[in-house]
Amino acid sequence: MIGRLIALLTLLLAAPASAETVARIASPGGVLSAELQLDPEGRPSYSVQRLGREIIAPSRLGFLLLNAPKLERNFALDSQSTRSFDETWEQPWGERRFVRNHYNELRVRFTERTGLARSLDVVFRVFDDGIGFRYEFPEQPNLANVEIQDELTEFAVADPGTAWWIPAFEWNREEYLYNRTPISAVGTAQTPMTVRTDNGLHIAFHEAALIDYSGMNLASMGHGRFRAALTPGTDGAKVRRQAPFPTPWRTLQVADSAGGLAMSNLILNLNEPNRLGDVSWVRPMKYVGVWWEMHLDRATWASGDRHGATTANVRRHVDFAAANGFDGVLVEGWNVGWDGDWFGNGQEFSFTRPYPDFDLEGLAAYARRRGVQLIGHHETSGFAAHYEDQMEDAFSLYQRLGVHAVKTGYVADAGQAKVRGADGRILYAWHEGQAMNQHHMRVIEAAARHRISVNAHEPTKDTGLRRTYPNIIAREGARGMEYSAWGNPSNPPEHEANLVFTRMLAGPMDYTPGIFGMRTRSPQGVQTTWAKQLALYVIIYSPLQMAADLLENYEANPRPFQFIRDVPVDWSESLVLNGEIGDYVTIARKDRASENWYLGAVTDEEGRVLNASLGFLTPGRRYRAQIYRDGPNADYRANPGDIAIEERIVTSTDTLTLRLAPGGGQAIRLVALGR
Ligand code: NOJ
Ligand code: CA
């Protein structure tokens, strides 16, 4: 007994004096709270509680600088203030029309007690379903040029659990399949990274408003502790800025269920309101394109006998779009520069000169007459500087021709994008470093001046900037459908149920669904049923949705194609009815232009039965449910095309039983009838 007491006493004496809580803020409904601590050496940290329980243990804050001593210790609390905010704002387009932005904010100033006496502000916005915090570097004499060597922000997940993540700093940028591992086995992850703790809590880590800064990854320090791993810059500093400036928000979405994460508006809410004014020219749309045939290697981007972007082929696509109610036709390989090794030769691309067998002016006029627009394509092979040299001319040309949307592309291995340094030299850059984030902002602003929306592939990550710049209409930034055309492996059946609860938490994705031709260049082919391909239009949110397959596959299958013709791309509400990360999910969305609802459900490689209550429908109203479900023999391996299409009348009191085949899904259009 005495021995034990002595052991305890020695332990207590040896432990450093503990940190003191200096500030605290709770969310409006008291669900989440955050605390800021200072230890006796003046090191700041924060922690997060949910319903009084710690979910993020004390985690470090601070910076290593390149041109000055680190900003990490010897701080005292200088001042603190709080405020509450509650507004509902309207999205010009989106997964829902009205968004409530309701939080309590804590602003703290830490100032060094001696030496340079520099200050660093930390701002927390605490919502009931998540937290954002950021640093603000105030204007001050002893810290004007900020050269960040490393951000020291940590996230110490308090409980063990499972993580869904893709690796950071690998050559293939953001195009990886999701790992599912214990939290303790994560390496260096990109964000969003989603975890489910063993007691069932779901937390997604990401960032919001990534502007003129470098993208954040999360490096595991062991035992559930993660540290910000900023993307390197083009020289020793990861970020160079002049104070005053804020960092992006570091975000945690927190919910009891996976579906709760997908319902959160945190990332959008932490971005600034629309800066572009009237954006009625930004139009959500469905499109077809000269695209999948190149990925199947039935046609080429390059000129020659197999050139895809010929006048005749594009005309055929315009006619098909007009006949089937699609607004856009994407044309890839229309411009000079694709011949030879285009991956490595970004300098060869002209963004204004079409190949001779593509009549740009004539086709643009033809499309306009038929009520369709061409969607432009600018593959840069990552040579951002070369693109910037031509960007203004390219956007002027498109504006003159009535082209209002451009798909850009940055195919280059990670770290191999090319930007122009201050001295004019070409420097190699990471896709998510500060230089490329500056580049994307220049593209968005130039495009906006010409009333053009941008859909970037191989982009920088989505951090909700579409709120501020609504012409950021979509992006890729994950493994899209193209991998099922040529990848080995193609996207596995669990892929989309992973995406909904990871990548999609960041924002819309141009996934390019709608494939009926399941045999591809990939040895596995497309690993879904047809019904699941239809469900993807509801599950994967994007204001730009492609009907990606060859036109002949639609012409040969008009009945299932009808759902793709009908499904809208702009919604007044979205509800996640059920879901587990990587297993299954059911989402219902209400059309913004009518009283109709659409429902999509997908599963992984396991067949399952899900129940979907239609309680979201208007009570007392009847709806015609047009159901596209897996047929009795459907299976993504043996019989993907077995689809049953039927109708029945339903009301808000019905609960539907959804039978999903292995790798299957279900899509339902709910047409509002009279009462
Ligand atoms: C990769 C993009 O993801 C794909 O959609 C595009 O067709 C090729 N790059 C060529 O630009
Ligand atoms: Ca890609």
Side-chain angles (χ1 to χ4, degrees), residues 175-422:
E175 299 176 6
Y176 285 91
L177 293 175
Y178 278 82
N179 294 312
R180 171 195 178 129
T181 69
I183 296 175
S184 56
V186 175
T188 302
Q190 302 191 41
T191 73
M193 174 180 83
T194 303
V195 306
R196 183 177 66 213
T197 64
D198 288 345
N199 43 36
L201 193 69
H202 294 69
I203 312 176
F205 299 89
H206 189 44
E207 58 183 313
L210 169 54
I211 298 180
D212 201 0
Y213 201 85
S214 105
M216 179 184 75
N217 302 289
L218 297 173
S220 170
M221 302 282 120
H223 306 289
R225 196 158 58 87
F226 293 90
R227 181 175 303 158
L230 293 185
T231 306
T234 47
D235 57 28
K238 291 182 172 165
V239 177
R240 287 178 188 278
R241 291 289 293 270
Q242 297 276 322
F245 74 94
T247 69
W249 296 95
R250 278 65 190 93
T251 62
L252 287 83
Q253 284 151 287
V254 187
D256 287 319
S257 64
L261 291 181
M263 289 292 294
S264 156
N265 299 305
L266 181 80
I267 304 294
L268 281 173
N269 276 332
L270 289 169
N271 276 272
E272 296 295 320
N274 172 11
R275 245 180 233 160
L276 299 182
D278 171 24
V279 286
S280 52
W281 47 272
V282 179
R283 292 215 196 91
M285 63 174 156
K286 281 182 295 189
Y287 68 101
V288 291
V290 178
W291 184 74
W292 189 243
E293 58 197 276
M294 273 89 90
H295 288 271
L296 293 178
D297 199 26
R298 292 198 182 188
T300 58
W301 285 274
S303 63
D305 293 352
R306 297 199 302 131
H307 187 211
T310 62
T311 300
N313 195 22
V314 174
R315 247 179 193 260
R316 188 166 77 95
H317 282 76
V318 170
D319 291 342
F320 182 90
N324 291 285
F326 290 81
D327 290 330
V329 174
L330 168 71
V331 188
E332 296 202 359
W334 66 275
N335 60 320
V336 169
W338 290 92
D339 299 309
D341 166 28
W342 61 268
F343 271 56
N345 287 331
Q347 71 282 356
E348 301 296 327
F349 280 119
S350 164
F351 299 103
T352 49
R353 270 176 49 221
Y355 275 131
D357 57 350
F358 176 76
D359 174 12
L360 175 60
E361 305 261 344
L363 281 167
Y366 181 70
R368 269 201 314 274
R369 280 201 303 278
R370 306 222 53 187
V372 173
Q373 55 170 293
L374 298 182
I375 297 181
H377 185 233
H378 292 159
E379 174 58 60
T380 68
S381 296
F383 202 151
H386 177 68
Y387 183 38
E388 282 185 35
D389 292 342
Q390 295 187 37
M391 194 164 71
E392 191 55 40
D393 290 346
F395 288 147
S396 302
L397 172 68
Y398 274 154
Q399 185 173 26
R400 182 168 64 73
L401 296 174
V403 172
H404 299 300
V406 172
K407 170 177 171 180
T408 58
Y410 295 85
V411 173
D413 286 0
Q416 301 299 296
K418 285 183 248 172
V419 298
R420 194 167 281 119

Side-chain angles (χ1 to χ4, degrees), residues 172-173 175 291 295 379 407 410-411 457-459 476-480 482-483 486:
N172 207 7
R173 307 166 309 263
E175 299 176 6
W291 184 74
H295 288 271
E379 174 58 60
K407 170 177 171 180
Y410 295 85
V411 173
H457 279 228
E458 301 78 40
E476 189 192 38
R479 258 173 93 109
E482 61 187 15
Y483 279 80
W486 39 256

Side-chain angles (χ1 to χ4, degrees), residues 500-568:
V500 168
F501 301 112
T502 51
R503 158 67 182 80
M504 299 310 296
L505 301 177
M509 177 180 178
D510 184 32
Y511 186 68
T512 67
I515 304 300
F516 293 158
M518 301 326 217
R519 285 213 200 99
T520 62
R521 291 163 66 208
S522 164
Q524 303 84 23
V526 180
Q527 305 199 68
T528 77
T529 65
W530 285 14
K532 177 164 171 179
Q533 286 292 321
L534 301 182
L536 294 178
Y537 287 90
V538 183
I539 293 300
I540 305 277
Y541 169 63
S542 178
L544 282 188
Q545 288 280 27
M546 187 173 200
D549 207 346
L550 305 175
L551 302 186
E552 51 261 39
N553 287 339
Y554 296 137
E555 282 156 353
N557 297 289
R559 289 193 68 225
F561 180 55
Q562 187 60 41
F563 184 82
I564 303 179
R565 296 179 51 162
D566 289 336
V567 68

Side-chain angles (χ1 to χ4, degrees), residues 87 89 99-103 125 127 265-272 467:
E87 69 165 12
W89 58 280
V99 176
R100 186 163 182 202
N101 186 10
H102 190 197
Y103 60 82
R125 286 191 183 165
F127 301 69
N265 299 305
L266 181 80
I267 304 294
L268 281 173
N269 276 332
L270 289 169
N271 276 272
E272 296 295 320
R467 179 174 181 197

